[in-house]
Structures are given as C-alpha cells and as structure tokens.
Amino acid sequence: MSRPREDRGGGTGSPVRPGSAARHTDDPDVGPARHLGLTRGMPGWLKMGTAVVSILLVGVLAFGAYWVFRLQGNISKAALSAGSDKTEGALDNSRDRMQILILGSDTRDGKNSKYGTSDDATGYGHSDVMMLMDISADNKRVNVVSFPRDLLVDTPKCVDQETKKEFPAQSNVMINAAMSEAGIGCAVDTVNKLTGLEIDHFMMADFNAVKELSNTVGGVEVCISDAVYDPDSRLRLPKGTSSVQGEQALAFLRTRHAFADGGDLGRIKAQQGFLSALARKIKADGTLSNPGKMLEIADVVTKNLTIDEGLASIPTLVTVGNRLKDIDVGKIAFVAVPTVPADTDPNRLQVAEPAASQLFEAMRKDIDLTDPTAPPSPSESPDASPTAEPTPTETAPAYDKALQPVTVANGSGVPARTQEIMALLTTGGFTQLGQLAAQPVAATAVYYGAGYEAVAADVAALLGIPATQVLPAAGVAGVQVYLGTDLVGGTPGAEAPVQLPSDIVNQTAGDVVCQQANPALITR
C-alpha cells in the first residue's frame, strides 16, 4: 500500500497513485521497480530473440519506407483536364465507378529516341494507343474501349496547363492529335466531348513501358493465323502461339500492317488480344498476390508512367490495383468504337451511327457490355434522390406522331447526341424530324409552340426529360428538343432495353483469340 506524501507548504498534494504505480518508487517496503531488473535476469536466448525481432521490425519498416519513397519518386504527373469544367462530385477511388483513360505516347524524346528522330514526335507526342478502362462500382466487371488513332473527331478549346497557351477548338481532326499541342488533358477533354462521359483519371505510358513490363512478367503469349513479317515494325512471328517480350512485344503492339487488312482496326484487335493474354498470365501466376513481384512490376511501370494528380500517390495506385485483382477475366470486355471510312477521307475513320451512339449511351448508363440485359451495378451514390420523370399522357394522343414537326438543337457539345436523340424519336414514331445549329447551353429543355403541349409532353416522356424542363416558347413551330451539357435526355424508360450491336464486344480477357495475319505480309 502506498503512503501519502507530506503536505508541502499548505498547497495541494499530487494525486494519490494506484497501487501498481506505487511499485515504481524508492520505498524500501515496496522493493525495487520491477522493470529495472529485467535485463539482468533475462535468459540469453530471450535477449537474442528480442534483438532479432527488433532488427526485423526496423528492417521491414525501412524496406517499406524505401519502396514507397522510390515508387513515389518514379511518378510523373500532369493535369487531368485542359480547361473543361468538372460537373461530377469528388470520386471515392475505393468504391465508386471509375473511368481511366489509358494512353500510349509515341514521343521519341529521351530513352525513346531509338524509335525515330525528334521530328517524328517530341514533347507531348501523339496518343499512339487510346483506351478507356471503365471499372464498375461493385468491382465485378471492366469495359476497355479502344479509340482508333485515325478516328476523326471535334476537339474542344484546350489550354496547356503548363504554359497557359490556348488552342482553339478544331473540327474533323484525328483523335490521336488531341494531346499533341495542349497536353494529355486535351485528350481527356476530347474523349469526354465525344462520349458524354466524365473521365476520372488517366495513365500514359511510353514505348519503354511495354518492353520492360513484358520482360518482368516473363513474356506474353500471342497467336497469329500465319507466319508474318512486317519490315516497318520488324515484327516477325511464326504461325500459331508465341511468347513475346521486350522489342518483339513492342513490335506486336506498334505494328500497323501485320494484322487483318493492315489497318488500324486490325491493330486494335491485336492490342486487345495482347492485353487479354497479359491479364490471364498475371492472374494465373498469382502475381497480384505476390508482394515481391508486385513491387517489381510497380517499379517498372511507375518509371515509365505519367498520371493525373488525383491518382499520383502509391496508396491510391494500390487501391486501384486491389479493385482489379479479383475480377473474373470473362467480365473484362474489350470493345472498339464502331467506325466506318470517313466521308471526307477514306483513309480515315468516323464514328458509325447509330452503333457508336448506342455504345456511348450504354456506357453512360453503366451497362454490362458482356450482358446488356443484366441490371446496372449498384450506384456509387445510393442516397441520391431520383430525378423526377415526366408523366406521359394518360390517354392515347389525338394526333398522328408521324406528322408532328420535331427539331433537335444540340447544345450539349457532344456531336453524336444529335443522331442518338433522332434515332430514339424515330423509334417512338416521330419521323418528321429536323436538325438545328445550336449554341452551348447548360440545361436540356423541350420547347413547344401553341397547340403542341401534348406532343411536347410525349416527346419529353419518350426521351426521359423531366416535366419541369418542358416549356412553351412563342418562337417555336412544333416541338424543339434543345440538348444541354447536362446530358439529360435520350434515356428510354426503365422497360426499354439498351440497344447494342450483337458484336460490340470483340473479346473478353478470358478468350484466347488468334489474330488474322495480313495476307500481304505472310511469309512461307
């Protein structure tokens, strides 16, 4: 039992300590403090064990700190946007639906100079590969959508976030040139404009990344229908299955002539086949569960990667990696944007309608491309209140839909929306349609002239536009659907399935696909 201290000068004494604390006093009746005699009486084996555990603990902490510091130091960063306004809220990288634009740069600067002269591509370069990876909120599926480098698109006004130099909007230019002047953010803004989506992150790799990654995993198996040699890329493969790595892996992804008819679409399918094989190999080898191997891959990748600032931390990259590791390879769908030869240049491509608009609509609605009839994955915002939908007229309309004048004014900034909306109107029975040039506006509305109130209500109901956005307008003859940047509209009722071409998915990561060799480059 402890003793109370003497009263010191009439002041308050220290609080009385409990019995256990009193053991650590100089009171001879209590005895010496127990922990002071621990070392002297500890057996030798226990001393050694304690020292070893301490050394290991310090070593693990130092090892972890070294790798975090090293990997973080590898990362290069760039702005996600080139000046476009963000409308969506903050993203939870661990549980929200996530869209990452994956770019392959053709720059010949620095260590990539062996693949051409500085005149070929310097600075930002062109996006030699452009794929949009869309991870569902429930981490059960991934869509990977490829954009052909020869696709002609309209680019928005872009501002280089480093130099602050402004580049005007352009029409009918190749999509791979979007980042060449104003940087990666301009490529992101261009894809947003084309699809009506809002991309969350980007990753851009260079030629060296492919070589080193393929070496690190020990090669990737690819298949081709016939032996082929492409003198431009120096790809040489025998008929059947081969393991490629290093320069041959890079040649397989870069070749523009070895597959199909020697065009861009054949190359896209080969790239998708390579990534499918890589995903199968990493999963089969247990790489994602092997910390040592993952550190090795992470070191290779981060040395050759530029990512946006929101993704540029090792914990965030680990979070994204963890979301991908358990996804069934059969639910990793590889898709190419539907295209046809361009009207203005048969050597270039333009989006094929209505297939492209159907694809972009399905992506905006988070549809499983491998099974479009499946319900969407759980929303990342379960507490959000549903948007009020217009109520269709209760009785059959006393008019002939085919005779009603309906025009579409596209102020959304997404050119493909015009055809998408017109296709839906036609399906709904409205066939007297027109298009109008329109200035960008924020909110979608349906305007109607005198006597067209019922028609406007039915048009709004068909397109999924809220009744609060159906308005009378004295200057409108008939009904006008004015599309805004909110991208409201073009959403069929809950009972209407999303229409998609039956062959929209080229393959899943679970499919082993043999590429068709270009007949002109087959060797014997």
Side-chain angles (χ1 to χ4, degrees):
M1 181 175 180
S2 61
R3 301 178 180 177
R5 292 196 176 186
E6 299 175 344
D7 189 338
R8 298 181 181 178
T12 57
S14 298
V16 177
R17 294 175 292 171
S20 59
R23 296 191 185 118
H24 304 282
T25 71
D26 295 328
D27 190 327
D29 294 336
V30 176
R34 292 183 181 178
H35 69 282
L36 296 179
L38 179 63
T39 304
R40 189 186 317 175
M42 180 186 294
W45 65 266
L46 185 55
K47 293 179 185 178
M48 181 63 69
T50 302
V52 169
V53 169
S54 299
I55 291 171
L56 287 175
L57 180 60
V58 171
V60 167
L61 292 175
F63 178 80
Y66 163 78
W67 273 104
V68 169
F69 180 79
R70 173 169 170 165
L71 295 178
Q72 191 69 55
N74 288 345
I75 293 174
S76 298
K77 298 182 290 185
L80 176 63
S81 168
S84 66
D85 294 327
K86 187 172 177 61
T87 61
E88 296 178 355
L91 178 75
D92 184 333
N93 289 306
S94 64
R95 66 182 183 88
D96 287 348
R97 181 187 179 193
M98 179 185 292
Q99 290 153 349
I100 304 175
L101 188 65
I102 299 173
L103 302 162
S105 171
D106 70 351
T107 180
R108 270 73 169 183
D109 281 343
K111 57 194 173 188
N112 297 300
S113 59
K114 64 183 292 185
Y115 301 106
T117 67
S118 59
D119 294 333
D120 293 325
T122 58
Y124 297 121
H126 295 79
S127 49
D128 215 32
V129 176
M130 182 180 284
M131 297 179 174
L132 180 58
M133 181 169 68
D134 187 357
I135 307 171
S136 67
D138 59 8
N139 299 334
K140 291 184 178 179
R141 54 186 169 80
V142 174
N143 296 324
V144 182
V145 181
S146 294
F147 297 81
R149 67 192 300 274
D150 293 335
L151 178 63
L152 298 179
V153 298
D154 295 339
T155 61
K157 179 181 73 175
C158 292
V159 178
D160 186 324
Q161 298 301 295
E162 292 186 6
T163 65
K164 302 305 177 185
K165 183 178 179 180
E166 182 176 304
F167 297 87
Q170 300 182 72
S171 297
N172 219 37
V173 297
M174 285 174 56
I175 196 170
N176 78 325
M179 78 175 193
S180 62
E181 293 180 328
I184 305 170
C186 194
V188 173
D189 290 350
T190 297
V191 175
N192 286 342
K193 177 181 176 68
L194 177 65
T195 62
L197 297 166
E198 191 165 295
I199 293 169
D200 303 301
H201 298 297
F202 72 77
M203 296 180 175
M204 186 183 76
D206 58 18
F207 295 145
N208 203 55
V210 175
K211 292 193 306 177
E212 295 193 13
L213 178 59
S214 62
N215 285 331
T216 302
V217 301
V220 177
E221 286 195 349
V222 297
C223 179
I224 191 165
S225 63
D226 297 272
V228 69
Y229 174 63
D230 176 13
D232 289 341
S233 66
R234 298 184 182 178
L235 175 69
R236 185 186 295 276
L237 287 175
K239 177 180 179 179
T241 301
S242 304
S243 179
V244 296
Q245 62 187 91
E247 292 289 349
Q248 277 294 86
L250 179 59
F252 186 88
L253 294 174
R254 288 189 64 210
T255 180
R256 302 233 21 223
H257 310 296
F259 308 114
D261 62 357
D264 207 20
L265 299 181
R267 184 172 81 147
I268 281 178
K269 288 189 176 182
Q271 291 170 345
Q272 293 175 341
F274 180 93
L275 292 177
S276 296
L278 177 61
R280 291 194 302 272
K281 181 178 180 64
I282 288 176
K283 199 168 183 69
D285 290 351
T287 301
L288 293 174
S289 301
N290 183 332
K293 197 66 175 179
M294 283 301 296
L295 282 175
E296 188 178 356
I297 291 176
D299 192 34
V300 167
V301 171
T302 53
K303 283 179 181 177
N304 300 281
L305 197 66
T306 301
I307 54 184
D308 66 279
E309 295 171 349
L311 200 57
S313 74
I314 297 306
T316 302
L317 291 174
V318 170
T319 295
V320 175
N322 284 335
R323 294 186 62 172
L324 295 172
K325 70 178 182 180
D326 295 324
I327 293 177
D328 182 350
V329 291
K331 284 297 183 181
I332 303 176
F334 288 92
V335 179
V337 172
T339 57
V340 292
D343 295 334
T344 55
D345 183 350
N347 294 315
R348 299 289 180 254
L349 300 169
Q350 66 186 36
V351 293
E353 296 296 358
S357 291
Q358 291 170 348
L359 170 62
F360 299 151
E361 179 193 2
M363 293 173 66
R364 291 193 295 271
K365 296 177 70 175
D366 195 19
I367 297 298
D368 182 351
L369 299 183
T370 64
D371 182 10
T373 62
S377 61
S379 170
E380 58 266 30
S381 303
D383 297 329
S385 301
T387 303
E389 296 295 336
T391 303
T393 51
E394 295 182 1
T395 59
Y399 60 82
D400 185 348
K401 289 184 178 180
L403 300 178
Q404 310 310 311
V406 181
T407 55
V408 177
N410 191 351
S412 70
V414 182
R417 292 281 285 165
T418 299
Q419 295 303 318
E420 177 184 325
I421 296 301
M422 293 182 72
L424 288 168
L425 288 168
T426 300
T427 302
F430 295 95
T431 57
Q432 190 175 328
L433 305 176
Q435 302 178 43
L436 293 173
Q439 295 297 315
V441 295
T444 296
V446 175
Y447 298 105
Y448 61 89
Y452 286 91
E453 182 175 0
V455 180
D458 288 330
V459 166
L462 174 66
L463 299 179
I465 297 173
T468 54
Q469 292 169 234
V470 180
L471 306 167
V476 172
V479 174
Q480 181 186 114
V481 182
Y482 201 133
L483 302 172
T485 55
D486 55 358
L487 297 178
V488 171
T491 305
E495 300 302 319
V498 172
Q499 295 182 336
L500 277 171
S502 59
D503 58 351
I504 193 67
V505 175
N506 287 339
Q507 69 172 94
T508 72
D511 299 328
V512 179
V513 177
C514 216
Q515 307 303 321
Q516 182 63 45
N518 180 359
L521 296 181
I522 291 177
T523 60
R524 302 297 179 191

